[in-house]
C-alpha cells in the first residue's frame, strides 16, 4: 500500500505545482512554458527507480552516460529560445529521453530532433507517441552535423556541450534565428545565445551551465 501512495504523490499535481512555483521563484515568467512543464509527466522520462525525484530541480541519469536536464535549465533555454517571438521550425540537438523535445513540441509547430544514441532516441520516440506528441521528426545521427534536409531553422537548441559552436549548425540557422548552446568543458561551461543577422552572428554569454559533452559519431 505504501508504494501506491508514493506513486500517487509522485505524479500528483501538487508535486508538479511545487516545481512550477520553484521555476517562478527562479525567474521563469513565460506562462506557456510553465503550463507545458506543468502538464508534462516528467516522471515518465526517467527510470522508475528515480521517478520519485523527477520533479526535483536536479539533473538525473537516463543511461548511456546521459542525463535529463534539471527543470530550470529546460525552462530557461526554452524561454530564451522563444524570447524573440513565435517559432515555426526548431532543430534540437540531443533528443536524450525526450523531455526537452516534449516541452518544445507543445510550443512550436514542428521539432526536428537529432540523437547519436539510437536506443535512447527510440525510447523517447515511443514515449512521446504514447503521450500524443506527434509533431516531431527524429534522426539518428551525429548532432554536430545538424539536419541539413530541413534547414534553415528559426530556432536551434543544443543539449550537450561542444568546445566551440559547430559550423554546420551556424549555417543551418535562418536569418533572424536563435540558437541556444552550452560551450566549454565540464566545470567551465557557459550557455550562449547566438542570433543570425543578415551578415554575421551575434553571440551572447547567458549563464554557467553543466551539460554532458557533445560527442562525434553515433551508436
Amino acid at each position: 500500500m505504501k508504494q501506491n501512495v508514493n506513486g500517487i504523490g509522485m505524479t500528483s499535481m501538487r508535486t508538479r505545482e511545487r516545481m512550477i512555483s520553484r521555476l517562478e521563484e527562479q525567474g521563469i515568467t513565460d506562462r506557456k512554458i510553465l503550463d507545458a512543464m506543468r502538464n508534462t509527466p516528467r516522471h515518465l522520462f526517467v527510470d522508475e527507480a528515480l521517478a520519485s525525484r523527477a520533479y526535483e530541480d536536479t539533473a538525473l541519469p537516463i543511461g548511456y552516460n546521459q542525463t535529463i536536464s534539471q527543470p530550470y535549465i529546460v525552462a530557461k533555454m526554452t524561454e530564451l529560445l522563444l524570447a524573440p517571438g513565435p517559432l515555426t521550425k526548431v532543430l534540437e540537438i540531443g533528443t536524450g529521453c525526450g523531455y526537452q523535445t516534449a516541452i518544445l513540441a507543445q510550443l512550436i509547430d514542428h521539432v526536428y530532433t537529432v540523437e547519436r544514441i539510437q536506443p535512447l532516441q527510440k525510447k523517447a520516440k515511443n514515449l512521446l507517441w504514447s503521450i500524443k506528441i506527434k509533431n516531431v521528426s527524429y534522426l539518428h545521427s551525429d548532432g554536430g552535423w545538424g539536419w541539413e534536409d530541413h534547414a534553415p531553422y528559426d530556432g536551434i537548441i543544443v543539449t550537450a556541450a561542444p568546445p566551440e559552436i559547430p559550423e554546420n549548425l551556424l549555417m543551418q540557422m535562418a536569418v533572424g534565428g536563435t540558437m541556444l548552446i552550452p560551450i566549454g568543458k565540464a566545470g567551465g561551461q557557459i550557455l550562449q545565445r547566438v542570433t543570425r543577422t543578415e551578415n554575421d552572428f551575434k553571440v551572447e554569454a547567458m549563464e554557467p551551465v553543466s551539460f554532458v559533452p557533445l560527442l562525434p559519431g553515433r551508436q
Side-chain angles (χ1 to χ4, degrees):
M1 184 67 184
K2 185 177 179 182
Q3 185 177 0
N4 290 338
V5 171
N6 286 342
I8 292 169
M10 171 181 79
T11 62
S12 72
M13 286 309 295
R14 185 181 302 172
T15 306
R16 298 189 201 184
E17 287 298 343
R18 282 199 294 269
M19 179 184 74
I20 299 304
S21 295
R22 192 168 57 242
L23 290 172
E24 290 176 320
E25 291 169 3
Q26 292 170 305
I28 304 301
T29 59
D30 190 308
R31 301 312 308 176
K32 290 182 179 179
I33 294 172
L34 292 169
D35 286 344
M37 295 188 69
R38 176 185 288 112
N39 296 328
T40 302
R42 185 176 162 89
H43 60 279
L44 298 182
F45 292 84
V46 300
D47 289 342
E48 195 171 346
L50 295 172
S52 63
R53 301 185 59 198
Y55 298 96
E56 296 177 8
D57 194 35
T58 185
L60 296 169
I62 57 171
Y64 302 93
N65 295 315
Q66 304 298 300
T67 59
I68 180 175
S69 295
Q70 66 189 98
Y72 168 73
I73 289 297
V74 172
K76 184 65 174 180
M77 290 181 73
T78 305
E79 192 169 67
L80 288 169
L81 189 74
L82 296 176
L87 301 182
T88 300
K89 188 166 59 170
V90 165
L91 173 65
E92 178 191 38
I93 303 300
T95 313
C97 65
Y99 181 71
Q100 174 75 79
T101 321
I103 301 302
L104 290 171
Q106 295 173 69
L107 303 164
I108 290 155
D109 289 354
H110 201 91
V111 179
Y112 296 86
T113 185
V114 179
E115 172 59 56
R116 65 181 292 270
I117 302 171
Q118 192 166 37
L120 266 185
Q121 190 173 64
K122 184 177 180 181
K123 184 177 180 182
K125 182 178 182 179
N126 290 339
L127 176 53
L128 293 184
W129 190 260
S130 75
I131 60 174
K132 312 300 184 189
I133 292 178
K134 300 178 180 179
N135 57 326
V136 179
S137 297
Y138 303 84
L139 178 67
H140 173 227
S141 182
D142 183 323
W145 299 343
W147 194 348
E148 192 173 4
D149 292 355
H150 301 285
Y153 301 94
D154 49 14
I156 298 178
I157 190 165
V158 184
T159 59
E164 56 188 28
I165 303 171
E167 183 75 15
N168 286 332
L169 299 186
L170 291 172
M171 292 301 101
Q172 291 174 30
M173 294 176 68
V175 173
T178 302
M179 174 162 56
L180 271 297
I181 182 169
I183 297 294
K185 296 181 180 179
Q189 295 173 4
I190 299 293
L191 179 63
Q192 298 189 358
R193 176 169 61 186
V194 183
T195 305
R196 185 168 191 175
T197 65
E198 289 285 352
N199 304 311
D200 204 356
F201 297 90
K202 177 185 177 184
V203 180
E204 304 166 88
M206 306 309 295
E207 60 184 80
V209 290
S210 180
F211 280 87
V212 298
L214 182 68
L215 299 176
R218 56 184 180 178
Q219 63 187 71

